[in-house]
Amino acid sequence: MRQELLSLPKGLAEEVSKNLVMVARLIDEDPERAYAYSRIALRLASRVAAVREAAGFAAYATQKYSEALAEFRAAKRMTGSVELWPVMADCERGLGRPERALAMAGEPEVQKLDKAGQVEMRLVAAGARRDQGQLEAAIVTLQSPELASSTVQPWTARLRYAYADALLAADREDEAREWFAKTLEADKDGATDASDRLAELDGVEFVDASAEDVDVDDDEDDDDDAEVAAAERASDVAEYYDEDDDEYEPQERPAAAVRADDEADADAEADDEPDDRDDEFDVTDEDVATDEDVATDEDVATDEDVATDEGDEPDADRDKA
């Protein structure tokens, strides 16, 4: 890669190399960000094979298989190397064309691959067989000297895992369990989830202890804090319920509004209490007007005092009969 970047001006080469470093750092943990950095490098130096290859792997990691395949083909044309052949075939699988992946598995380029590349091509071919529903053919494809070897190589865990998974898909559970166990022996870096698959076959269930580890003291402290907060709010805020709702929900009201309601309630209660002064206005037989109290002719309004027009209002100062 460094040799390829030397063909660029110094400042440009440094900028491109920084972006490629970020692609390598992020491609596993944050593929989208890695893809973004790869696009920057691609705009800066699209004629550098290393840049096209990095862009291809970033697109592959984000499942942009058509774009990845185009970048890998460009890198292959620039270098003449066939080392990208297996991942190019896997892009064909990703695009829903397993038959093309199988065709590539039979091409002369496969014979030019190193041992790791050939094992990778075998994995892709087996996956293409499974895509077509050919489980037994996939199992046969994976059976190889590399699978039977007791020597652990960088590809051993992945090859054994693929074989165990194919056996399980074919309902050969006992054999699958055996090969998941062999995968676990070879997987020193934990690249596969063979341990989980093995435990699943053994009927072991994992429980998240952290979810059940509840601190009772913390709950009690929270309750105390809630009570203190409620006591502090009591002096400033009151809670009331809306009785029109099916489910009452507490709502906060200002203290001034609460005091106003309290005063109104007190006034209402005072009005409801009996008042001795009301007796002064109770009408009794003694208060009934007698003949002497009846208005005399002098008190009766004369025709002159009566309003002549129907629209005239009676005089406010007129004595009541």
Side-chain angles (χ1 to χ4, degrees):
M1 179 184 297
R2 176 176 294 182
Q3 190 66 30
E4 294 179 26
L5 292 176
L6 289 177
S7 62
L8 301 174
K10 183 177 181 181
L12 180 60
E14 291 179 354
E15 188 66 23
V16 172
S17 63
K18 289 179 181 178
N19 284 280
L20 293 181
V21 168
M22 293 305 297
V23 172
R25 287 180 179 177
L26 297 171
I27 195 166
D28 291 329
E29 60 185 43
D30 195 344
E32 291 294 340
R33 288 185 62 196
Y35 175 77
Y37 280 107
S38 73
R39 301 307 297 177
I40 297 174
L42 192 60
R43 287 197 300 269
L44 295 173
S46 60
R47 296 186 180 183
V48 176
V51 172
R52 304 302 290 267
E53 182 177 335
F57 277 110
Y60 178 81
T62 54
Q63 300 183 0
K64 297 176 176 65
Y65 297 116
S66 180
E67 185 177 328
L69 184 58
E71 298 301 337
F72 289 142
R73 285 173 175 170
K76 180 178 178 297
R77 286 195 301 270
M78 291 177 180
T79 62
S81 173
V82 296
E83 64 180 358
L84 295 174
W85 195 256
V87 70
M88 291 170 62
D90 204 40
C91 286
E92 296 287 3
R93 284 186 60 209
L95 292 170
R97 302 192 293 242
E99 68 283 353
R100 292 193 183 183
L102 288 173
M104 292 179 68
E107 293 293 333
E109 282 81 356
V110 177
Q111 303 303 320
K112 299 177 183 179
L113 295 170
D114 58 11
K115 182 62 66 176
Q118 291 179 1
V119 171
E120 192 66 32
M121 192 70 236
R122 189 178 294 275
L123 289 169
V124 173
R129 293 292 186 187
R130 292 190 61 173
D131 292 343
Q132 295 179 327
Q134 303 173 5
L135 284 175
E136 292 299 329
I139 292 172
V140 172
T141 300
L142 293 170
Q143 292 173 347
S144 61
E146 292 81 13
L147 179 66
S149 176
S150 58
T151 304
V152 176
Q153 300 291 342
W155 62 78
T156 301
R158 294 180 60 243
L159 183 59
R160 291 179 180 180
Y161 183 90
Y163 188 62
D165 191 55
L167 290 171
L168 187 60
D171 294 328
R172 295 161 62 173
E173 187 172 311
D174 292 339
E175 295 176 80
R177 190 194 180 287
E178 176 186 354
W179 281 97
F180 276 128
K182 290 182 178 181
T183 301
L184 191 58
E185 294 175 358
D187 191 7
K188 304 300 183 183
D189 299 329
T192 70
D193 63 345
S195 60
D196 295 339
R197 301 293 297 276
L198 193 60
E200 183 179 351
L201 288 173
D202 291 339
V204 177
E205 295 183 1
F206 295 98
V207 178
D208 187 359
S210 61
E212 296 183 354
D213 187 12
V214 179
D215 192 345
V216 178
D217 293 336
D218 289 344
D219 292 340
E220 293 177 354
D221 292 339
D222 292 341
D223 292 340
D224 293 340
D225 293 341
E227 292 178 0
V228 172
E232 292 175 349
R233 290 197 307 269
S235 59
D236 299 324
V237 178
E239 294 183 348
Y240 74 100
Y241 294 99
D242 184 359
E243 296 181 355
D244 293 333
D245 293 342
D246 293 336
E247 296 181 358
Y248 291 162
E249 294 183 358
Q251 304 179 31
E252 294 185 349
R253 301 180 63 202
V258 175
R259 288 195 296 271
D261 287 347
D262 292 341
E263 293 175 359
D265 292 341
D267 292 342
E269 291 177 0
D271 292 340
D272 292 338
E273 293 179 357
D275 192 343
D276 295 339
R277 292 176 298 176
D278 292 343
D279 294 341
E280 299 178 0
F281 301 99
D282 292 341
V283 179
T284 63
D285 293 339
E286 298 176 356
D287 296 324
V288 177
T290 62
D291 292 340
E292 297 178 355
D293 298 326
V294 176
T296 62
D297 293 340
E298 295 179 357
D299 297 325
V300 176
T302 63
D303 294 337
E304 295 178 359
D305 295 328
V306 178
T308 57
D309 296 333
E310 294 180 356
D312 292 341
E313 295 182 356
D315 190 354
D317 296 332
R318 180 170 52 85
D319 294 336
K320 295 182 181 178

